[in-house]
Amino acid sequence: ELKVEQNPLFLSMQEGKNYTIYCNYSTTSDRLYWYRQDPGKSLESLFVLLSNGAVKQEGRLMASLDTKARLSTLHITAAVHDLSATYFCAVEETSGSRLTFGEGTQLTVNP
Amino acid sequence: DVKVTQSSRYLVKRTGEKVFLECVQDMDHENMFWYRQDPGLGLRLIYFSYDVKMKEKGDIPEGYSVSREKKERFSLILESASTNQTSMYLCASSLSSGTYFGAGTRLSVL
């Protein structure tokens, strides 16, 4: 059974600081996703990572994938308040199949 | 642009009512999913479908059924709504390009 673990689950940081969220998964997978969720809203796709060593960047967020270590990271650079949200990683075992989600990381960026 | 549309953002129903949640995608995706999200329990898969008229149980199918008569539409049915089905329901569709979510339906069962 595929398990996905995120840490930390709660993260409070100051504006301008850097931090990393970690996502570990237990079996080989086809794809790894990072989603953002604002309170009361649905999931917004941030990144899709397909292969070992993949790195994607969008603004202050950068995601990477190490399939050998079964680890993905979401790095936040110079955080701003607008990044406050819950971030989920999700793993897809085979292309087009169901997603298994991590518990989510609730990020609060304080001015 | 990818689009997954859920018919209602908010629904309030009474215990015992039959409830239909509708989801439509315009991407010609074969795979569609229904998840529910609850505080402290995360996102859990209810049912999924890999083709028209095909359905598979997810992790928590009890109390739910689904219908997929057309490729673009995947309906979640609560046969007799109960208060423990109060939740946020998320529909998703996927293909090789990725998995995309609808806006969600927040259902309250009173």
Side-chain angles (χ1 to χ4, degrees):
Chain A
E1 181 190 345
L2 173 60
K3 291 191 187 302
V4 181
E5 293 183 349
Q6 277 181 246
N7 71 85
L9 299 184
F10 299 92
L11 177 55
S12 180
M13 54 192 298
Q14 284 188 303
E15 280 190 330
K17 299 293 187 183
N18 305 331
Y19 209 82
T20 300
I21 300 170
Y22 297 87
C23 175
N24 288 93
Y25 54 98
S26 60
T27 65
T28 57
S29 78
D30 224 42
R31 273 191 289 220
L32 188 140
Y33 297 79
W34 284 98
Y35 290 95
R36 168 182 172 144
Q37 186 177 40
D38 293 294
K41 300 287 180 63
S42 186
L43 299 173
E44 174 192 353
S45 180
L46 295 174
F47 302 107
V48 182
L49 302 170
L50 299 176
S51 58
N52 190 44
V55 177
K56 292 194 174 181
Q57 183 161 7
E58 181 75 34
R60 300 174 189 274
L61 300 178
M62 184 173 72
S64 66
L65 179 62
D66 180 344
T67 57
K68 292 177 183 174
R70 295 178 187 159
L71 171 68
S72 180
T73 61
L74 181 67
H75 187 72
I76 303 152
T77 302
V80 292
H81 181 68
D82 284 352
L83 290 179
S84 296
T86 299
Y87 294 84
F88 289 92
C89 66
V91 174
E92 188 178 71
E93 280 188 76
T94 57
S95 177
S97 71
R98 60 170 292 170
L99 296 181
T100 300
F101 286 86
E103 305 97 319
T105 297
Q106 188 176 316
L107 171 66
T108 303
V109 181
N110 302 303
Chain B
D1 203 14
V2 166
K3 205 159 192 179
V4 180
T5 303
Q6 293 183 232
S7 54
S8 305
R9 291 296 306 276
Y10 302 95
L11 272 180
V12 180
K13 297 292 182 181
R14 298 211 172 271
T15 302
E17 278 193 77
K18 190 168 187 175
V19 181
F20 293 85
L21 303 183
E22 305 286 349
C23 177
V24 178
Q25 49 97 0
D26 65 356
M27 298 163 286
D28 203 35
H29 284 177
E30 291 180 347
N31 307 331
M32 296 188 75
F33 308 83
W34 277 105
Y35 294 86
R36 68 177 277 180
Q37 184 178 25
D38 301 286
L41 295 175
L43 285 112
R44 296 177 291 169
L45 181 65
I46 306 171
Y47 265 98
F48 59 101
S49 170
Y50 287 153
D51 204 348
V52 175
K53 295 194 185 296
M54 177 269 176
K55 60 185 178 185
E56 292 282 349
K57 293 180 180 179
D59 300 323
I60 51 162
E62 296 78 20
Y64 303 94
S65 62
V66 290
S67 172
R68 185 120 183 247
E69 295 296 318
K70 293 185 178 181
K71 190 175 187 178
E72 66 270 19
R73 186 181 297 271
F74 191 37
S75 304
L76 181 69
I77 304 157
L78 286 65
E79 298 290 343
S80 177
S82 64
T83 55
N84 62 13
Q85 293 178 309
T86 291
S87 187
M88 171 71 117
Y89 289 87
L90 296 169
C91 174
S93 72
S94 78
L95 201 59
S96 56
S97 59
T99 297
Y100 305 90
F101 283 84
T105 297
R106 186 165 292 281
L107 172 67
S108 296
V109 182
L110 305 178

